[in-house]
């Protein structure tokens, strides 16, 4: 079925998408500028169904944030605290290991581990944390540390990013999440996260991780002070690295949540913009297999709609989320597996529980088997 295209700028783009061609920078800008959301959805869904049919992925995961102490003080963030802030926390190793096993009886297949840039926790501490998790939960995939954390740990240990990644990998890190990318454009980065590594360093750290055989995700933070060109530039830079390494598995567009941040005067993103970011990402990132509608950030309701606008993944059970909830997210902390199944089925899609490597997972009561 063909959609009615009301925006004439989308007509040549439709031809390219239907022929399986690559979209240009200008095409990306036109996609962001259009209000013809149905045509955009039609095109993104075409690509999504070409790649994945009705299959919609989710996982049973748990987020662990060992510390919210952070030296960076990014204006975009409500999570990071100064080391002397009485509200700051840092878990002991025993606490991290205990937390990992806490919660619902549903056996998790992934721990998603990220935290602040702590000025005292050492690379050895993090290696010990990973080894302890692997020892206690050998079946669980450890998706840990953003490129920003890797660069900071390398800087503190006075070794290269490559060596840092090797040491963490040898201690049990299986892959890396996609955070910290924000928007690569320097003008924007200087305002929203001026103490973080720059865009080139984020890309270079991801390149090294991929060269070492580690897969990672990637993200883009939108809905603050960036413009359409900044967004497209970000997507094109991710696409270029992916052409080279093929190391990205999933892209996650992240809507800026302004509450409790120094940028709280910025209005929240709209459902329209959230859906548009999913669709444009699916169309521009022709070489990244998966687009995730992160329900914590979008709300389960909008994430469900996104499954018909380009997304093939809805993230997981999560259990306990801090970064978005500190910044005013009103969504629940976690969803049960049955709730995720319901969301996906009610969108007319076929739910598939996956592990971090997108292998299907079969469950019996509280155990799981990865089907290879
Ligand atoms: O890096 C921080 C962003 C990221 C705010 O890889 C904020 O599977 C909005 O990367 N408003 C962390 N965003 C989350 C993340 C992620 C989430 C889910 C899945 C995966 C994955 C990765 O959240 C940070 C930053 O970009 N962030 N503060 C805020 N106030």
């Amino acid at each position: 079925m063909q959609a009615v295209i009301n925006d004439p700028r989308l007509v040549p783009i439709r031809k390219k998408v239907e022929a399986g061609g690559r979209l240009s920078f200008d095409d990306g800008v036109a996609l962001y500028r259009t209000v013809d959301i149905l045509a955009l959805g039609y095109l993104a869904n075409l690509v999504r169904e070409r790649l994945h049919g009705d299959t919609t992925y989710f996982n049973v995961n748990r987020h662990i944030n060992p510390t919210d102490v952070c030296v960076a003080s990014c204006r975009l963030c409500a999570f990071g605290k100064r080391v002397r802030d009485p509200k700051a926390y840092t878990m002991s190793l025993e606490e991290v290991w205990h937390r990992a096993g806490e919660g619902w009886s549903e056996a998790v297949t992934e721990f998603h581990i990220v935290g602040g840039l702590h000025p005292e926790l050492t690379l050895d501490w993090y290696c010990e944390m990973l080894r302890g998790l692997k020892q206690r939960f050998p079946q669980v995939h450890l998706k840990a540390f953003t490129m920003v954390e890797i660069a900071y740990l390398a800087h503190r240990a006075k070794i290269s990013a490559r060596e840092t990644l090797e040491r963490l990998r040898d201690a049990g890190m299986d892959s890396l999440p996609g955070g910290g990318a924000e928007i690569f454009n320097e003008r924007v980065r200087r305002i929203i996260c001026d103490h973080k590594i720059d865009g080139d360093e984020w890309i270079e750290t991801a390149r090294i991780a991929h060269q070492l055989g580690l897969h990672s995700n990637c993200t883009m933070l939108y809905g603050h002070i960036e413009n359409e060109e900044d967004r497209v530039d970000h997507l094109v830079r991710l696409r270029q690295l992916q052409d080279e390494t093929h190391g990205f598995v999933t892209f996650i567009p992240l809507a800026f949540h302004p509450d409790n941040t120094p940028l709280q005067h910025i209005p929240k993103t709209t459902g329209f913009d959230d859906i548009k970011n999913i669709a444009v990402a699916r169309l521009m990132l022709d070489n990244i297999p998966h687009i995730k509608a992160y329900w914590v950030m979008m709300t389960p309701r909008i994430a469900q709609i996104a499954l018909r606008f380009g997304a093939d993944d809805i993230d997981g059970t999560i259990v306990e989320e801090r970064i978005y909830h500190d910044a005013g997210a009103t969504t629940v902390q976690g969803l049960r597996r049955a709730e995720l199944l319901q969301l996906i089925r009610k969108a007319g899609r076929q739910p598939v529980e996956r592990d971090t490597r997108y292998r299907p997972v079969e469950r019996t009561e509280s155990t799981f088997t990865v089907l290879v």
Side-chain angles (χ1 to χ4, degrees):
M1 199 180 73
Q2 289 233 332
V4 176
I5 305 266
N6 291 312
D7 181 344
R9 286 174 301 185
L10 300 188
V11 173
I13 296 179
R14 174 167 77 184
K15 289 210 178 85
K16 281 193 204 174
V17 172
E18 286 176 345
R22 175 160 278 194
L23 300 186
S24 67
F25 186 97
D26 290 344
D27 292 334
V29 174
L31 291 172
Y32 270 124
R33 295 216 168 122
T34 190
V35 290
D36 193 354
I37 195 94
L38 292 181
L40 191 56
Y42 160 76
L43 295 174
N45 193 51
L46 199 70
V47 177
R48 185 256 196 246
E49 289 187 356
R50 203 183 274 156
L51 289 168
H52 306 291
D54 271 333
T55 300
T56 297
Y57 296 99
F58 70 99
N59 71 349
V60 176
N61 63 350
R62 192 191 214 295
H63 282 204
I64 305 173
N65 306 121
T67 179
D68 65 356
V69 169
C70 190
V71 297
S73 302
C74 296
R75 287 192 190 90
L76 67 90
C77 184
F79 171 73
K81 314 266 181 317
R82 308 303 289 182
V83 73
R84 281 181 227 302
D85 186 329
K87 292 202 279 302
Y89 74 89
T90 299
M91 296 180 193
S92 64
L93 285 173
E94 287 69 24
E95 247 179 291
V96 174
W97 299 328
H98 176 73
R99 269 291 166 87
E102 244 181 13
W104 297 334
S105 58
E106 297 173 320
V108 300
T109 59
E110 170 191 281
F111 292 135
H112 173 138
I113 308 165
V114 294
L117 307 180
H118 195 294
E120 283 145 25
L121 296 181
T122 60
L123 180 58
D124 286 341
W125 188 91
Y126 283 104
C127 288
E128 187 64 23
M129 177 188 84
L130 293 169
R131 275 192 292 271
L133 286 170
K134 269 288 175 221
Q135 196 185 12
R136 289 164 178 79
F137 310 96
Q139 297 215 67
V140 179
H141 181 109
L142 304 182
K143 184 178 80 180
F145 313 118
T146 64
M147 303 306 162
V148 177
E149 290 172 271
I150 298 296
Y152 183 67
L153 284 172
H155 165 78
R156 289 212 42 241
K158 298 190 174 53
I159 57 174
S160 65
R162 184 176 296 274
E163 197 181 330
T164 305
L165 284 159
E166 281 169 345
R167 285 181 50 187
L168 291 166
R169 180 195 61 191
D170 295 346
M173 177 179 74
D174 294 304
S175 71
L176 294 96
E182 321 311 0
I183 281 273
F184 294 141
N185 176 280
E186 268 318 299
R187 168 185 55 80
V188 177
R189 227 171 158 81
R190 241 177 278 129
I191 296 169
I192 64 167
C193 57
D194 57 341
H195 298 118
K196 251 182 202 164
I197 53 173
D198 65 21
D200 287 342
E201 218 177 327
W202 192 98
I203 290 277
E204 183 55 23
T205 310
R207 176 181 283 116
I208 297 167
H210 297 172
Q211 284 168 351
L212 291 172
L214 289 159
H215 286 110
S216 80
N217 290 341
C218 52
T219 57
M220 175 179 79
L221 186 74
Y222 65 90
H224 39 88
I225 57 160
E226 85 291 359
N227 59 32
E228 286 93 353
E229 283 84 358
D230 299 327
R231 291 180 184 182
V232 178
D233 169 66
H234 188 94
L235 297 179
V236 168
R237 285 165 79 173
L238 291 174
R239 188 170 76 180
Q240 277 166 354
L241 181 64
Q242 181 72 345
D243 276 342
E244 188 187 316
T245 65
H246 307 287
F248 291 129
V249 181
T250 305
F251 174 76
I252 310 117
L254 296 170
F256 177 55
H257 280 43
D259 289 359
N260 308 317
T261 77
L263 301 175
Q264 56 190 349
H265 56 282
I266 294 178
K268 292 190 170 78
T269 63
T270 60
F272 204 85
D273 204 18
D274 293 342
I275 288 291
K276 205 188 245 191
N277 269 283
I278 290 282
V280 179
R282 183 60 287 164
L283 290 166
M284 290 301 292
L285 300 176
D286 52 29
N287 53 4
I288 298 188
H290 302 282
I291 304 292
K292 186 186 282 186
Y294 182 40
W295 66 260
V296 168
M297 173 275 287
M298 306 184 86
T299 75
R301 283 163 183 266
I302 302 280
Q304 188 187 34
I305 306 283
L307 301 181
R308 294 243 155 226
F309 281 78
D312 62 284
D313 190 308
I314 199 162
D315 205 82
T317 47
I318 297 174
V319 185
E320 184 184 18
E321 199 283 336
R322 286 177 186 264
I323 296 175
Y324 274 83
H325 286 86
D326 283 357
T330 53
T331 46
V332 290
Q333 285 280 340
L335 285 179
R336 287 183 181 275
R337 190 174 179 279
E339 293 172 302
L340 289 170
L341 287 172
Q342 163 97 338
L343 274 178
I344 297 168
R345 287 200 181 114
K346 291 281 179 186
R349 295 301 199 194
Q350 176 67 37
V352 172
E353 184 184 338
R354 61 162 179 91
D355 69 357
T356 314
R357 293 165 59 190
Y358 283 82
R359 294 174 305 187
V361 169
E362 198 164 72
R363 281 193 177 263
T364 51
E365 293 292 319
S366 60
T367 61
F368 64 85
T369 319
V370 175
L371 305 172
V372 275

